[in-house]
Amino acid sequence: MSKHDDDFEFETLISINAEESEAGQVEAPVTPEEGDSVKKIEALGFALSSVERDYFRFEDIKKPRSFAQRRRHPVIRENLQEVADALPDYQDLEAYKGISKSDGSYVEYMLHSPLTILPAGRFVERIQWDYQRVECGHEFHPWVVRAGGREYSPGFHLTGPAGDVCIELSEISPVAAFKVSNGRFMRSDLIDYTLKVMVSSPKDIESRLSVAQRVADSLLFEFDAKYDLALNLLPWDKARVSGKRARIRKPRVSFPSTSVPREVAALFAFAAEAKENPPFAFLSYYQVLEYYVPLTSRRDALKRIRREIRDFSFDIANDSSVLKVLNSVERTKGLSEEEALKILVRDCVREDKLKQFFESDAFGEHFSKKGPISGVPAVNLKATNESIPVQTAKRVYALRNRIVHAKDDPKYAETPQLLPRSAEANALEPDISLVRFLALETVADTQD
């Protein structure tokens, strides 16, 4: 990015905030028609918070989403009636920021460009999109942009070969601007753009939403693969990793008493850096456990061998006695990764501390069967058939598999891959705290 572009983006962001501040300075009376529209919106669970010259501001009075404050909803005065009339027909998407019609025939996704700090709309408007328009019955009236002595229309409207799916990149709809903007005001000469998918078949809602998601994912993948053009769908909740760590104001520093290999130190450092990528953070801490698995497995094997040799009935001249020692060695060689992890957690992690970890009120029902992560075992402190270390190892290993395995294999059909930026990925923080705790316990236990 050039220096000119940097200055332009910085000044634009300042002007966005300036206009947002100015928007609240002038109040205007509410007309009877606007009052009727306000009542319709309030009946859907929104409270009017302020009336300004160009905007009405509402707040969501329903229970806030996790890691988010109560959402704010601005609407331009001229769009108030349209939003009030259309709002009952739309619902929030589950995983990504966006809305869908109640029958699944229309889905609108918010976009994000990791290549710019500006809203995706500014990025979209810098591109002259080349596409073939097919008559499909949908209205599409893009804005005209004049820049650098040329004139073009940003965005596009495409129709699938079968004619039952259309996809469009265009200005955000008034309903989406109300439901997902979270109070953000744009400068009057800035336009935000969203990705819309219109689906006419199949007829059931879930199938339509699935088709829309697949088409949106495929389009953005091709943008990246073919043109190195990065546009992403936005998750509802911003991922937060290790957000609950206490801030130490006056740490007492001494010469380090813990000796860790370079690999372990690097993995810990990367996990702390991966604040917006929870699966990466989880895997980094898991790799610390993997680093120590051979050591703990070998240590366990030596303990078993010494126990056999110290047995009062052990006889070096007796083949049966020697075979018991050999079996201990062979059993260690044939350990699966999950079994090795169980040994590590059992031998390196203090069970009373592990129990205290799960009893923390901060985690709520996260580790129970009602938790947000599917396809992984729950941890039940009252279970009598399995110890807490075994339950913990099974959960951590299953979660690791959900993150790393993306195979078209029936074996993984019931527990598909845990995708980045998904609702499950954004709910990983307690599991990240768990695997970090296990890693710290393991490092402490393996000190010479």
Side-chain angles (χ1 to χ4, degrees):
M1 181 180 291
S2 68
K3 179 66 166 63
H4 173 75
D5 287 335
D6 285 339
D7 292 342
F8 170 76
E9 293 193 358
F10 179 72
E11 291 170 4
T12 303
L13 283 176
I14 291 178
S15 60
I16 290 175
N17 293 330
E19 184 157 324
E20 182 172 337
S21 300
E22 292 170 2
Q25 294 178 357
V26 181
E27 294 190 2
V30 178
T31 67
E33 293 79 10
E34 290 174 334
D36 291 339
S37 296
V38 168
K39 290 179 181 177
K40 289 182 180 179
I41 294 175
E42 288 185 323
L44 298 172
F46 304 93
L48 180 65
S49 58
S50 66
V51 180
E52 295 143 20
R53 179 183 58 196
D54 300 319
Y55 293 93
F56 281 71
R57 292 179 188 259
F58 294 82
E59 284 190 356
D60 191 345
I61 60 177
K62 298 176 184 177
K63 184 179 179 180
R65 292 174 177 270
S66 59
F67 302 128
Q69 296 178 348
R70 179 176 293 176
R71 287 162 54 191
R72 297 173 296 159
H73 305 267
V75 57
I76 300 174
R77 292 187 80 117
E78 63 186 41
N79 292 336
L80 182 65
Q81 183 175 347
E82 179 183 349
V83 170
D85 292 341
L87 206 53
D89 296 329
Y90 288 86
Q91 59 193 16
D92 289 344
L93 295 176
E94 284 294 325
Y96 294 103
K97 257 189 183 180
I99 59 173
S100 69
K101 275 194 171 181
S102 54
D103 63 357
S105 63
Y106 174 92
V107 182
E108 184 170 354
Y109 297 98
M110 294 288 287
L111 294 173
H112 163 68
S113 171
L115 304 181
T116 175
I117 58 176
L118 284 176
R122 180 59 75 181
F123 188 66
V124 168
E125 287 188 343
R126 294 179 180 182
I127 300 172
Q128 185 167 352
W129 305 86
D130 183 15
Y131 64 100
Q132 183 67 41
R133 179 71 198 274
V134 176
E135 186 57 44
C136 61
H138 294 123
E139 294 185 4
F140 178 58
H141 305 294
W143 287 77
V144 175
V145 174
R146 297 176 178 86
R150 60 191 178 100
E151 181 178 294
Y152 60 95
S153 298
F156 53 78
H157 188 101
L158 305 171
T159 303
D164 57 346
V165 180
C166 289
I167 188 164
E168 176 180 306
L169 182 63
S170 58
E171 181 185 1
I172 188 172
S173 70
V175 176
F178 176 85
K179 286 185 71 68
V180 303
S181 68
N182 198 23
R184 185 71 172 173
F185 280 93
M186 303 290 289
R187 232 179 56 186
S188 57
D189 62 336
L190 282 177
I191 300 171
D192 205 5
Y193 284 72
T194 53
L195 193 65
K196 292 99 173 163
V197 185
M198 301 83 159
V199 184
S200 59
S201 66
K203 295 300 182 183
D204 65 287
I205 299 172
E206 291 303 321
S207 296
R208 283 179 170 178
L209 293 176
S210 178
V211 169
Q213 183 71 64
R214 186 172 66 250
V215 170
D217 288 338
S218 299
L219 179 78
L220 298 182
F221 171 79
E222 289 199 358
F223 279 175
D224 195 352
K226 291 182 177 180
Y227 311 113
D228 199 20
L229 175 59
L231 284 173
N232 302 328
L233 303 181
L234 274 173
W236 272 112
D237 295 322
K238 184 178 177 62
R240 292 173 59 185
V241 175
S242 300
K244 295 183 175 64
R245 293 192 198 178
R247 188 182 296 271
I248 300 174
R249 297 294 182 184
K250 191 177 179 181
R252 185 176 181 179
V253 184
S254 60
F255 194 84
S257 59
T258 306
S259 176
V260 294
R262 179 186 176 192
E263 294 87 344
V264 171
L267 289 167
F268 255 85
F270 181 77
E273 292 172 10
K275 291 182 179 180
E276 296 187 3
N277 197 324
F280 272 17
F282 180 92
L283 288 179
S284 293
Y285 288 129
Y286 184 88
Q287 285 180 296
V288 173
L289 300 181
E290 282 187 317
Y291 180 89
Y292 287 106
V293 159
L295 171 62
T296 55
S297 296
R298 185 167 60 249
R299 194 169 65 177
D300 179 71
L302 290 172
K303 182 176 70 174
R304 291 177 182 274
I305 292 170
R306 287 192 177 103
R307 182 65 187 87
E308 292 294 340
I309 294 174
R310 288 169 180 165
D311 192 297
F312 294 113
S313 64
F314 178 78
D315 183 358
I316 190 66
N318 187 302
D319 290 348
S320 178
S321 292
V322 176
L323 281 174
K324 287 181 180 180
V325 175
L326 183 60
N327 288 337
S328 296
V329 176
E330 292 298 328
R331 184 166 48 185
T332 303
K333 290 183 178 179
L335 279 179
S336 66
E337 186 172 351
E338 183 178 11
E339 290 302 316
L341 185 62
K342 290 177 183 178
I343 292 173
L344 181 145
V345 177
R346 181 198 68 196
D347 291 351
C348 297
V349 181
R350 292 168 292 179
E351 189 165 351
D352 60 329
K353 295 294 184 182
L354 186 57
K355 186 178 180 180
Q356 288 178 18
F357 176 89
F358 287 119
E359 288 174 339
S360 171
D361 294 334
F363 300 138
E365 296 183 333
H366 181 89
F367 294 103
S368 71
K369 292 181 179 179
K370 298 179 182 179
I373 312 298
S374 63
V376 297
V379 176
N380 182 3
L381 300 183
K382 298 180 180 179
T384 57
N385 60 325
E386 286 184 327
S387 67
I388 298 174
V390 167
Q391 294 182 65
T392 301
K394 289 173 69 174
R395 179 183 180 90
V396 169
Y397 184 70
L399 188 48
R400 172 261 185 195
N401 285 347
R402 283 208 58 199
I403 294 173
V404 302
H405 288 308
K407 299 177 181 177
D408 187 14
D409 189 326
K411 183 170 62 174
Y412 301 105
E414 295 182 2
T415 54
Q417 186 185 27
L418 194 151
L419 298 172
R421 306 301 184 196
S422 65
E424 285 188 310
N426 290 333
L428 273 178
E429 198 215 332
D431 281 289
I432 295 170
S433 296
L434 171 60
V435 75
R436 181 177 185 271
F437 167 75
L438 299 179
L440 289 172
E441 285 282 294
T442 301
V443 169
D445 187 74
T446 54
Q447 294 297 299
D448 293 334

